[in-house]
Amino acid sequence: MALEYKIVYTGGEAEIVEKKSRFIATVSPVKTEEEALAFIEATKKKYWNARHNCFAYIVGEQQELMRCSDDGEPAQTAGKPMLDVLMGQQLKNTVVVVVTRYFGGTLLGTGGLVRAYSSSVQAGLASSQIVTRISGSKLQITTDYTGLGKIQYILGESGIQILDTQYTDQVVLEVLLSDE
């Protein structure tokens, strides 16, 4: 298990326009491939009148499963560039992105399509909330009131995060120790 990795915490949606073609990127965190496929189908139903609904997703902490689709666009101009953006962001666990294209009447060419789909995914990720997960353990420290100041000082100097403090006849601190 990685000590530290980035995940999509909440999804987002963003739209860009390239030569009158609309590209709508919809990003979502999911737990399994089945959820990713269900999200893709729901997005296709939502944008049923769009020309293309291309997708890419990554499943697993070690990126065990990666899939993408050009959905009728020329080969390697949509799904693969979208997947490359997800991998370039070093996102782990499971994330799915669907880019919906409404054709604007002007052909973009293969280079234009690659740039448009890549930019769409970047905009979609920018509108999403991405967090860094750190592998660690919760630890509970119980002390009396006289030892509290010393413990707080040591934790602060060590960079150990205090998650919760409960004051009763004793003080109970809940701290997070990273696995580093």
Side-chain angles (χ1 to χ4, degrees), residues 54-69:
C54 305
F55 66 83
Y57 61 87
I58 298 174
V59 176
E61 212 171 271
Q62 302 300 319
Q63 300 175 327
E64 290 91 8
L65 180 63
M66 295 181 276
R67 299 270 190 271
C68 61
S69 168

Side-chain angles (χ1 to χ4, degrees), residues 32-79:
T32 63
E33 183 178 20
E34 291 75 26
E35 282 184 32
L37 295 172
F39 177 79
I40 292 164
E41 285 306 312
T43 305
K44 284 182 178 182
K45 284 181 184 172
K46 180 179 177 183
Y47 298 111
W48 60 272
N49 58 343
R51 176 76 60 99
H52 303 282
N53 283 291
C54 305
F55 66 83
Y57 61 87
I58 298 174
V59 176
E61 212 171 271
Q62 302 300 319
Q63 300 175 327
E64 290 91 8
L65 180 63
M66 295 181 276
R67 299 270 190 271
C68 61
S69 168
D70 293 321
D71 192 38
E73 291 283 21
Q76 305 292 311
T77 60

Side-chain angles (χ1 to χ4, degrees), residues 64-148:
E64 290 91 8
L65 180 63
M66 295 181 276
R67 299 270 190 271
C68 61
S69 168
D70 293 321
D71 192 38
E73 291 283 21
Q76 305 292 311
T77 60
K80 180 76 168 86
M82 292 167 57
L83 190 59
D84 289 343
V85 171
L86 294 178
M87 292 174 61
Q89 292 284 324
Q90 298 176 345
L91 294 170
K92 304 283 184 176
N93 273 6
T94 309
V95 61
V96 61
V97 61
V98 178
V99 176
T100 302
R101 180 185 182 197
Y102 287 97
F103 185 62
T106 304
L107 295 175
L108 300 178
T110 56
L113 286 172
V114 169
R115 281 189 298 279
Y117 278 102
S118 297
S119 298
S120 298
V121 174
Q122 290 168 348
L125 290 174
S127 71
S128 303
Q129 186 177 6
I130 297 176
V131 297
T132 302
R133 279 210 166 152
I134 301 171
S135 178
S137 303
K138 285 185 182 179
L139 180 66
Q140 197 173 48
I141 302 171
T142 305
T143 184
D144 56 16
Y145 284 89
T146 58
L148 178 61

